[in-house]
Coordinates of all heavy atoms in Angstrom, one line a residue:
I1 N 126.5 92.4 100.5 CA 125.2 92.0 99.9 C 124.2 93.1 100.3 O 124.0 93.5 101.5 CB 124.7 90.7 100.5 CG1 125.7 89.6 100.1 CG2 123.3 90.3 100.0 CD1 125.3 88.3 100.7
T2 N 123.6 93.7 99.3 CA 122.6 94.7 99.5 C 121.1 94.2 99.7 O 120.9 92.9 99.4 CB 122.5 95.7 98.2 OG1 122.1 94.9 97.2 CG2 124.0 96.2 97.9
K3 N 120.2 95.0 100.2 CA 118.9 94.5 100.3 C 118.3 94.3 98.9 O 117.5 93.3 98.9 CB 118.2 95.8 101.0 CG 116.6 95.4 101.2 CD 116.0 96.6 101.9 CE 114.6 96.4 102.0 NZ 113.7 97.6 102.7
A4 N 118.6 95.0 97.9 CA 118.2 94.7 96.6 C 118.6 93.3 96.1 O 117.8 92.5 95.5 CB 118.5 95.7 95.6
D5 N 119.8 92.9 96.4 CA 120.2 91.7 96.1 C 119.5 90.5 96.7 O 119.2 89.5 96.1 CB 121.7 91.4 96.4 CG 122.7 92.3 95.5 OD1 122.2 92.7 94.5 OD2 123.8 92.5 96.0
I6 N 119.2 90.7 98.0 CA 118.4 89.7 98.8 C 117.0 89.7 98.3 O 116.6 88.5 98.0 CB 118.4 90.1 100.4 CG1 119.8 90.0 100.9 CG2 117.4 89.2 101.0 CD1 120.0 90.6 102.3
I7 N 116.3 90.7 97.9 CA 115.0 90.7 97.4 C 114.9 89.9 96.0 O 114.1 89.2 95.7 CB 114.5 92.2 97.3 CG1 114.2 92.6 98.6 CG2 113.2 92.2 96.5 CD1 113.8 94.1 98.8
D8 N 116.0 90.3 95.1 CA 116.0 89.7 93.9 C 116.2 88.1 94.0 O 115.7 87.4 93.2 CB 117.2 90.3 93.0 CG 116.9 91.8 92.5 OD1 115.7 92.2 92.6 OD2 117.9 92.4 92.2
S9 N 117.1 87.8 94.9 CA 117.4 86.4 95.1 C 116.2 85.6 95.6 O 115.7 84.5 95.0 CB 118.4 86.2 96.1 OG 119.7 86.6 95.6
I10 N 115.4 86.2 96.5 CA 114.2 85.5 97.1 C 113.2 85.5 95.9 O 112.6 84.4 95.7 CB 113.7 86.3 98.3 CG1 114.6 86.2 99.4 CG2 112.3 85.9 98.6 CD1 114.2 87.1 100.5
R11 N 113.0 86.5 95.1 CA 112.0 86.6 94.0 C 112.5 85.6 93.0 O 111.6 84.7 92.5 CB 112.0 87.9 93.4 CG 111.0 87.9 92.2 CD 110.9 89.3 91.6 NE 110.0 89.4 90.5 CZ 108.7 89.3 90.3 NH1 108.0 89.1 91.4 NH2 108.1 89.3 89.3
R12 N 113.7 85.4 92.5 CA 114.1 84.4 91.5 C 113.9 83.0 92.1 O 113.3 82.1 91.4 CB 115.6 84.7 91.2 CG 116.0 83.8 90.2 CD 117.6 83.9 89.9 NE 118.4 83.4 90.9 CZ 119.0 84.2 91.7 NH1 119.0 85.4 91.8 NH2 119.7 83.5 92.8
M13 N 114.2 82.7 93.3 CA 114.0 81.4 93.8 C 112.6 81.0 94.0 O 112.2 79.9 93.9 CB 114.8 81.3 95.2 CG 116.4 81.5 95.0 SD 117.1 80.3 94.0 CE 117.2 78.8 95.1
T14 N 111.7 81.9 94.3 CA 110.3 81.8 94.5 C 109.7 81.4 93.2 O 108.9 80.4 93.1 CB 109.6 83.0 95.2 OG1 110.3 83.3 96.4 CG2 108.2 82.8 95.4
I15 N 110.0 82.2 92.2 CA 109.6 81.8 90.8 C 110.0 80.4 90.4 O 109.2 79.7 89.7 CB 109.9 82.9 89.8 CG1 109.2 84.4 90.2 CG2 109.6 82.6 88.4 CD1 109.7 85.5 89.4
E16 N 111.3 80.0 90.7 CA 111.7 78.8 90.3 C 111.1 77.6 91.2 O 111.6 76.4 91.1 CB 113.3 78.8 90.4 CG 113.8 79.6 89.4 CD 115.4 79.7 89.5 OE1 116.0 79.0 90.4 OE2 116.1 80.5 88.8
L17 N 110.3 77.9 92.2 CA 109.7 77.0 93.1 C 110.8 76.2 93.9 O 110.6 75.2 94.3 CB 108.9 76.0 92.4 CG 107.7 76.6 91.6 CD1 107.0 75.4 90.8 CD2 106.8 77.4 92.5
K18 N 111.9 76.9 94.3 CA 112.9 76.4 95.1 C 113.0 77.1 96.5 O 113.8 76.8 97.3 CB 114.3 76.7 94.4 CG 114.4 75.9 93.1 CD 115.8 76.1 92.5 CE 115.9 75.3 91.1 NZ 117.2 75.5 90.6
F19 N 112.1 78.0 96.7 CA 112.0 78.7 98.0 C 110.7 79.2 98.3 O 110.0 79.6 97.4 CB 113.0 80.0 97.8 CG 113.2 80.8 99.0 CD1 114.1 80.5 100.0 CD2 112.4 82.0 99.3 CE1 114.3 81.2 101.2 CE2 112.6 82.7 100.4 CZ 113.6 82.4 101.3
T20 N 110.3 79.3 99.6 CA 109.1 79.7 100.0 C 109.3 80.8 101.1 O 109.8 80.5 102.1 CB 108.2 78.6 100.6 OG1 108.0 77.6 99.6 CG2 106.8 79.0 101.0
A21 N 108.8 82.0 100.8 CA 109.0 83.1 101.7 C 107.8 83.0 102.6 O 106.6 82.7 102.3 CB 108.9 84.4 101.0
V22 N 108.0 83.1 104.0 CA 107.1 83.0 105.1 C 107.0 84.3 105.8 O 108.2 84.8 106.2 CB 107.4 81.8 106.0 CG1 106.3 81.8 107.2 CG2 107.4 80.5 105.2
C23 N 105.8 84.8 106.0 CA 105.7 86.2 106.8 C 104.8 85.8 108.0 O 103.9 85.1 107.9 CB 105.0 87.2 105.9 SG 106.0 87.7 104.4
M24 N 105.2 86.5 109.1 CA 104.4 86.3 110.3 C 103.7 87.7 110.6 O 104.3 88.7 110.4 CB 105.2 85.8 111.4 CG 105.8 84.5 111.1 SD 106.9 83.8 112.3 CE 105.8 83.7 113.7
G25 N 102.5 87.6 111.3 CA 101.8 88.9 111.6 C 100.4 88.6 112.2 O 100.1 87.4 112.4
S26 N 99.7 89.5 112.3 CA 98.4 89.4 112.9 C 97.4 90.4 112.3 O 97.7 91.5 112.0 CB 98.4 89.5 114.3 OG 97.0 89.6 114.9
A27 N 96.2 89.9 112.0 CA 95.2 90.9 111.3 C 94.7 91.8 112.4 O 94.1 92.9 112.2 CB 94.1 90.0 110.8
L28 N 94.9 91.3 113.8 CA 94.4 92.1 114.9 C 95.4 93.4 114.8 O 96.6 93.3 115.0 CB 94.7 91.3 116.2 CG 94.2 92.0 117.5 CD1 92.8 92.3 117.4 CD2 94.6 91.2 118.6
K29 N 94.8 94.5 114.8 CA 95.4 95.9 114.8 C 96.4 95.9 113.6 O 97.3 96.7 113.6 CB 96.3 96.0 116.0 CG 95.3 96.1 117.3 CD 96.2 96.4 118.6 CE 95.2 96.4 119.8 NZ 96.0 96.6 121.0
N30 N 96.2 95.1 112.4 CA 96.9 95.2 111.3 C 98.5 95.1 111.5 O 99.2 95.7 110.8 CB 96.5 96.6 110.6 CG 95.2 96.5 110.0 OD1 94.7 95.5 109.6 ND2 94.6 97.6 110.0
K31 N 98.9 94.3 112.3 CA 100.3 94.0 112.7 C 100.8 93.1 111.5 O 100.5 92.0 111.4 CB 100.5 93.4 114.0 CG 100.0 94.2 115.2 CD 100.9 95.5 115.2 CE 100.4 96.3 116.4 NZ 101.3 97.5 116.5
G32 N 101.7 93.6 110.6 CA 102.3 92.8 109.7 C 101.4 92.6 108.3 O 101.9 92.1 107.4
V33 N 100.3 93.3 108.2 CA 99.5 93.2 107.0 C 100.1 93.9 105.9 O 100.2 93.4 104.7 CB 98.1 93.6 107.2 CG1 97.2 93.7 106.0 CG2 97.4 92.7 108.4
Q34 N 100.6 95.0 106.2 CA 101.3 95.8 105.0 C 102.5 95.2 104.5 O 102.9 95.1 103.3 CB 101.6 97.2 105.5 CG 102.0 98.2 104.5 CD 101.1 98.4 103.3 OE1 99.8 98.6 103.5 NE2 101.5 98.1 102.0
L35 N 103.2 94.6 105.6 CA 104.5 93.9 105.2 C 104.2 92.7 104.2 O 104.9 92.4 103.3 CB 105.2 93.4 106.4 CG 106.6 92.6 106.2 CD1 107.6 93.3 105.4 CD2 107.1 92.1 107.5
L36 N 103.1 92.0 104.6 CA 102.7 90.8 103.8 C 102.3 91.3 102.4 O 102.8 90.6 101.4 CB 101.5 90.1 104.5 CG 100.8 89.0 103.6 CD1 101.7 87.9 103.6 CD2 99.5 88.6 104.4
L37 N 101.6 92.4 102.3 CA 101.1 92.8 100.9 C 102.4 93.3 100.2 O 102.5 93.0 98.9 CB 100.2 93.9 101.1 CG 98.8 93.5 101.6 CD1 98.0 94.7 101.8 CD2 98.1 92.5 100.9
D38 N 103.3 93.9 100.8 CA 104.5 94.4 100.0 C 105.3 93.2 99.7 O 105.9 93.1 98.5 CB 105.4 95.2 101.1 CG 104.8 96.5 101.4 OD1 103.9 96.9 100.6 OD2 105.3 97.2 102.4
N39 N 105.4 92.1 100.5 CA 106.1 90.8 100.0 C 105.4 90.2 98.9 O 106.1 89.6 98.0 CB 106.4 89.9 101.3 CG 107.3 90.4 102.2 OD1 108.2 91.4 101.8 ND2 107.3 90.0 103.5
V40 N 104.2 90.1 99.0 CA 103.4 89.5 97.8 C 103.8 90.2 96.5 O 104.1 89.6 95.5 CB 101.8 89.6 98.0 CG1 101.1 89.3 96.8 CG2 101.5 88.7 99.0
V41 N 103.8 91.4 96.6 CA 104.2 92.2 95.3 C 105.6 92.1 95.1 O 106.0 91.9 93.8 CB 103.9 93.8 95.5 CG1 104.5 94.6 94.4 CG2 102.4 94.1 95.6
S42 N 106.5 92.0 95.9 CA 108.0 91.9 95.6 C 108.4 90.5 95.3 O 109.3 90.3 94.4 CB 108.8 92.2 97.0 OG 108.5 93.6 97.3
F43 N 107.8 89.4 95.8 CA 108.3 88.1 95.6 C 107.6 87.2 94.8 O 108.1 86.3 94.1 CB 108.5 87.4 96.9 CG 109.3 88.1 98.0 CD1 109.0 88.1 99.3 CD2 110.5 88.8 97.6 CE1 109.8 88.9 100.2 CE2 111.2 89.4 98.6 CZ 110.9 89.4 99.7
L44 N 106.2 87.2 94.6 CA 105.4 86.4 93.9 C 105.3 86.8 92.4 O 105.4 88.0 92.0 CB 104.0 86.3 94.4 CG 103.9 85.7 95.9 CD1 102.4 85.7 96.2 CD2 104.6 84.4 95.9
P45 N 105.4 85.8 91.5 CA 105.4 86.1 90.0 C 104.0 86.6 89.6 O 103.0 86.4 90.1 CB 105.7 84.8 89.5 CG 105.1 83.7 90.4 CD 105.3 84.4 91.8
S46 N 104.2 87.6 88.6 CA 103.0 88.0 87.8 C 102.6 87.1 86.8 O 103.5 86.2 86.5 CB 103.3 89.4 87.3 OG 104.0 89.3 86.2
P47 N 101.6 87.1 86.2 CA 101.2 86.2 85.1 C 102.2 86.3 83.9 O 102.5 85.4 83.2 CB 99.8 86.7 84.6 CG 99.2 87.2 85.9 CD 100.4 87.9 86.6
Y48 N 102.9 87.5 83.8 CA 103.9 87.7 82.7 C 105.2 86.9 83.1 O 106.0 86.7 82.2 CB 104.2 89.2 82.5 CG 102.9 89.9 82.0 CD1 102.3 90.7 83.0 CD2 102.5 89.8 80.7 CE1 101.1 91.4 82.6 CE2 101.5 90.5 80.3 CZ 100.8 91.3 81.1 OH 99.7 92.0 80.7
D49 N 105.4 86.6 84.3 CA 106.7 85.8 84.7 C 106.6 84.3 84.6 O 107.7 83.7 84.7 CB 107.0 86.3 86.1 CG 107.3 87.7 86.3 OD1 107.7 88.3 85.3 OD2 107.2 88.2 87.4
T50 N 105.5 83.8 84.4 CA 105.3 82.3 84.3 C 104.7 81.9 83.0 O 104.0 82.7 82.3 CB 104.4 81.7 85.4 OG1 103.2 82.5 85.3 CG2 105.0 82.2 86.9
K51 N 104.9 80.6 82.7 CA 104.4 80.1 81.4 C 103.0 79.4 82.0 O 102.9 78.6 82.9 CB 105.3 79.0 80.9 CG 104.7 78.3 79.6 CD 105.7 77.3 79.1 CE 105.0 76.6 78.0 NZ 105.9 75.5 77.4
N52 N 101.9 79.9 81.3 CA 100.6 79.3 81.6 C 100.0 78.3 80.5 O 100.1 78.8 79.5 CB 99.7 80.5 81.8 CG 100.0 81.4 82.9 OD1 100.3 80.9 84.1 ND2 100.3 82.6 82.7
T53 N 99.6 77.2 81.0 CA 99.0 76.2 80.1 C 97.7 75.8 80.4 O 97.3 75.8 81.7 CB 100.0 75.0 79.9 OG1 100.2 74.5 81.1 CG2 101.3 75.3 79.3
A54 N 96.9 75.3 79.6 CA 95.6 74.8 79.9 C 95.3 73.4 79.1 O 96.1 73.3 78.1 CB 94.5 75.7 79.6
L55 N 94.3 72.8 79.4 CA 93.9 71.6 78.6 C 92.8 71.9 77.8 O 91.7 72.4 78.4 CB 93.8 70.4 79.5 CG 95.0 69.9 80.4 CD1 94.6 68.8 81.3 CD2 96.2 69.5 79.6
D56 N 92.8 71.6 76.6 CA 91.6 71.8 75.8 C 90.8 70.5 75.8 O 91.0 69.5 75.2 CB 92.1 72.1 74.2 CG 90.9 72.5 73.3 OD1 89.8 72.3 73.7 OD2 91.3 72.7 72.2
V57 N 89.7 70.6 76.5 CA 88.8 69.4 76.8 C 88.0 69.1 75.5 O 87.5 67.9 75.3 CB 87.8 69.8 77.8 CG1 88.5 69.8 79.2 CG2 86.9 70.8 77.5
D58 N 87.9 70.0 74.5 CA 87.2 69.7 73.2 C 88.2 69.0 72.3 O 87.7 68.5 71.3 CB 86.7 70.9 72.6 CG 85.6 71.5 73.5 OD1 84.8 70.7 74.3 OD2 85.4 72.8 73.4
N59 N 89.5 69.0 72.6 CA 90.5 68.4 71.7 C 91.3 67.4 72.4 O 92.6 67.5 72.5 CB 91.2 69.5 71.1 CG 92.1 69.1 69.9 OD1 91.9 67.9 69.4 ND2 93.0 70.0 69.5
D60 N 90.7 66.4 73.0 CA 91.4 65.2 73.7 C 92.4 65.7 74.7 O 93.4 65.1 75.0 CB 92.1 64.4 72.7 CG 92.4 63.0 73.2 OD1 91.7 62.6 74.1 OD2 93.3 62.4 72.7
E61 N 92.0 66.9 75.3 CA 92.9 67.3 76.5 C 94.3 67.6 76.1 O 95.2 67.4 76.9 CB 92.7 66.5 77.8 CG 91.4 66.5 78.4 CD 91.4 65.8 79.7 OE1 92.4 65.3 80.2 OE2 90.3 65.9 80.4
T62 N 94.5 68.1 75.0 CA 95.9 68.6 74.5 C 96.2 69.8 75.3 O 95.4 70.8 75.5 CB 95.9 68.8 73.0 OG1 95.0 69.8 72.6 CG2 95.7 67.5 72.3
S63 N 97.5 70.0 75.5 CA 98.1 71.2 76.2 C 98.0 72.4 75.3 O 98.5 72.3 74.1 CB 99.4 70.8 76.7 OG 99.9 71.9 77.4
V64 N 97.7 73.4 75.8 CA 97.6 74.8 75.1 C 98.3 75.8 75.8 O 98.0 76.0 77.0 CB 96.2 75.2 74.8 CG1 96.0 76.5 74.1 CG2 95.3 74.1 74.1
D65 N 99.3 76.4 75.2 CA 99.9 77.6 75.9 C 99.0 78.8 75.8 O 98.5 79.2 74.9 CB 101.2 77.9 75.2 CG 102.3 76.9 75.4 OD1 102.2 76.2 76.4 OD2 103.2 76.8 74.5
L66 N 98.9 79.4 77.0 CA 98.0 80.6 77.1 C 98.9 81.8 77.2 O 100.0 81.9 77.7 CB 97.2 80.5 78.4 CG 96.4 79.3 78.6 CD1 95.7 79.4 80.0 CD2 95.3 79.3 77.5
K67 N 98.4 82.9 76.5 CA 99.0 84.2 76.4 C 98.4 85.1 77.5 O 97.2 85.2 77.7 CB 98.9 84.8 75.1 CG 99.7 84.0 73.9 CD 99.5 84.6 72.6 CE 100.2 83.8 71.6 NZ 99.5 83.6 70.3
T68 N 99.4 85.9 78.2 CA 98.8 86.8 79.1 C 98.5 88.1 78.5 O 99.3 89.0 78.1 CB 99.8 87.0 80.2 OG1 100.2 85.8 80.8 CG2 99.3 88.0 81.3
D69 N 97.2 88.3 78.2 CA 96.8 89.6 77.5 C 95.2 89.9 77.9 O 94.5 89.0 77.7 CB 96.7 89.3 75.9 CG 96.5 90.5 75.2 OD1 96.1 91.6 75.7 OD2 96.6 90.5 74.0
P70 N 95.0 90.9 78.5 CA 93.7 91.3 79.0 C 92.7 91.4 77.9 O 91.5 91.4 78.1 CB 93.9 92.6 79.7 CG 95.2 93.2 79.3 CD 96.0 92.0 78.8
E71 N 93.2 91.6 76.6 CA 92.2 91.7 75.5 C 91.7 90.3 75.0 O 90.7 90.3 74.3 CB 92.9 92.5 74.4 CG 93.4 93.9 74.8 CD 92.2 94.8 75.1 OE1 91.1 94.7 74.5 OE2 92.4 95.6 76.1
L72 N 92.4 89.2 75.3 CA 92.0 87.9 74.9 C 90.9 87.4 75.9 O 90.8 87.9 77.1 CB 93.2 87.0 75.1 CG 94.3 87.3 74.0 CD1 95.4 86.3 74.2 CD2 93.7 87.1 72.6
P73 N 90.1 86.4 75.5 CA 89.1 85.7 76.3 C 89.7 85.2 77.6 O 90.9 84.7 77.7 CB 88.6 84.7 75.5 CG 89.0 85.0 74.1 CD 90.2 85.8 74.2
L74 N 88.9 85.2 78.7 CA 89.2 84.8 80.0 C 89.2 83.3 80.0 O 88.4 82.5 79.4 CB 88.1 85.3 81.0 CG 88.4 84.8 82.5 CD1 89.7 85.4 83.0 CD2 87.2 85.2 83.3
V75 N 90.3 82.7 80.6 CA 90.2 81.2 80.8 C 90.3 81.0 82.4 O 91.0 81.6 83.1 CB 91.5 80.7 80.2 CG1 91.7 79.2 80.6 CG2 91.7 80.9 78.7
A76 N 89.3 80.3 82.8 CA 89.2 79.9 84.3 C 88.5 78.7 84.6 O 88.1 78.0 83.5 CB 88.3 81.1 84.9
L77 N 88.5 78.2 85.8 CA 87.9 76.9 86.2 C 86.4 77.2 86.1 O 85.9 78.1 86.4 CB 88.3 76.5 87.6 CG 89.7 76.0 87.7 CD1 90.0 75.7 89.2 CD2 89.8 74.7 87.0

């Protein structure tokens, strides 16, 4: 088993919500901070990897699929 296989497996299972990666470190003297940031990039899904939906409050809260496109209007709380 290679390191790439392990990283791919952790990422796939994290996106499927079947696995939670846990990192330990300390902000004191930046111990583990870079590793944490590297793992966020490696394991957590980007907006393109997930299906995003919202509720249209003006239309009886019907579900609306959102597209990930920076040119479209922002949708936020």
Side-chain angles (χ1 to χ4, degrees):
I1 298 175
T2 66
K3 181 179 177 180
D5 290 337
I6 294 171
I7 290 172
D8 291 341
S9 297
I10 293 172
R11 179 174 175 78
R12 186 182 70 251
M13 297 299 280
T14 302
I15 291 172
E16 293 175 5
L17 302 177
K18 295 181 180 179
F19 184 86
T20 301
V22 177
C23 300
M24 296 176 64
S26 171
L28 181 65
K29 298 183 182 177
N30 291 327
K31 299 291 182 189
V33 173
Q34 189 60 50
L35 178 62
L36 173 67
L37 294 174
D38 291 342
N39 288 340
V40 165
V41 171
S42 296
F43 302 141
L44 296 183
S46 76
Y48 296 103
D49 294 332
T50 59
K51 180 180 177 185
N52 297 303
T53 58
L55 298 177
D56 186 356
V57 294
D58 295 331
N59 194 12
D60 199 29
E61 294 190 354
T62 58
S63 182
V64 177
D65 290 335
L66 301 175
K67 295 179 180 140
T68 304
D69 186 352
E71 301 299 320
L72 292 175
L74 175 68
V75 176
L77 284 176

